[in-house]
Amino acid sequence: MSPSRSRIATSLMGAAGEHYVMSCLLRRGYIAALAPEGAPNLDIVVSTEDGRFQTGIQVKTRRGHGADRGWHMSAKHENIVSPTLYYCFVDFVSTSAKACKVWIVPSETVADAVRLSHATWLATPGAKGQQRKDSTMRRFLPDYERVFGAAQNPYPDGWLDPFIENWGQLADTH
């Protein structure tokens, strides 16, 4: 796949995730709309029907699991924390809507996991014992065992289970 075609496919997958999340919100009675292009830190603006509660959602989308089953993040996500900001991690396991899963995770939880895991990864020597080089890339994972080791892992396999399709937590914040 050519680089431009790859970027187009990535953009389409991201748009599909955003529209899927909007559809989930609208079906649950929320007012939801795409944020303006280039809006920092959120993709969807959400409100209750009466407008008294508003929140923002950033959508991260993947298709299939990949090697580590995670989502791409960046260094900025270590510091984006707001009680009214959530991430929706969308997994289009296949082309079937029935196979789609969404994890709705508070921004503080995401920031903590991304920040702690990256700091731990940086502090751990590479495969040849070398100091790792920092970059802006981060990963949000359903299991951080490869980063922390089995005994010290604060984010073991299953830690994201309480967030699967947990749309109710949005209502709990207002």
Side-chain angles (χ1 to χ4, degrees):
M1 189 179 295
S2 71
S4 61
R5 185 151 173 86
S6 177
R7 275 191 293 273
I8 291 169
T10 298
S11 293
L12 292 174
M13 187 60 57
E18 291 169 2
H19 284 83
Y20 181 78
V21 169
M22 278 198 346
S23 127
C24 292
L25 291 162
L26 292 166
R27 287 188 331 235
R28 287 168 174 79
Y30 290 99
I31 307 300
L34 288 177
E37 185 73 28
N41 307 330
L42 63 115
D43 299 312
I44 300 173
V45 179
V46 183
S47 174
T48 53
E49 286 182 29
D50 60 13
R52 287 188 288 154
F53 164 72
Q54 295 180 350
T55 191
I57 292 181
Q58 187 166 123
V59 179
K60 298 293 184 183
T61 307
R62 69 178 186 196
R63 183 172 180 181
H65 292 303
D68 65 4
R69 303 181 312 154
W71 290 267
H72 293 293
M73 305 293 283
S74 70
K76 76 175 188 174
H77 295 108
E78 294 180 356
N79 300 305
I80 301 173
V81 176
S82 169
T84 59
L85 178 66
Y86 291 82
Y87 288 81
C88 284
F89 294 95
V90 179
D91 184 6
F92 290 127
V93 178
S94 72
T95 56
S96 166
K98 291 179 183 177
C100 183
K101 292 183 184 177
V102 181
W103 291 258
I104 303 93
V105 186
S107 61
E108 182 176 16
T109 302
V110 173
D112 288 346
V114 171
R115 184 177 46 256
L116 181 59
S117 65
H118 187 70
T120 301
W121 178 81
L122 273 178
T124 306
K128 297 178 184 174
Q130 79 281 9
Q131 174 67 42
R132 296 184 190 268
K133 293 183 181 166
D134 201 0
S135 75
T136 60
M137 187 188 145
R138 307 289 188 267
R139 296 289 285 165
F140 186 74
L141 304 173
D143 182 1
Y144 283 95
E145 182 175 334
R146 69 179 182 89
V147 175
F148 295 101
Q152 302 296 318
N153 187 1
Y155 307 104
D157 193 30
W159 80 277
L160 286 176
D161 289 354
F163 301 106
I164 295 175
E165 304 296 335
N166 186 353
W167 300 98
Q169 67 183 313
L170 297 177
D172 294 342
T173 60
H174 66 280

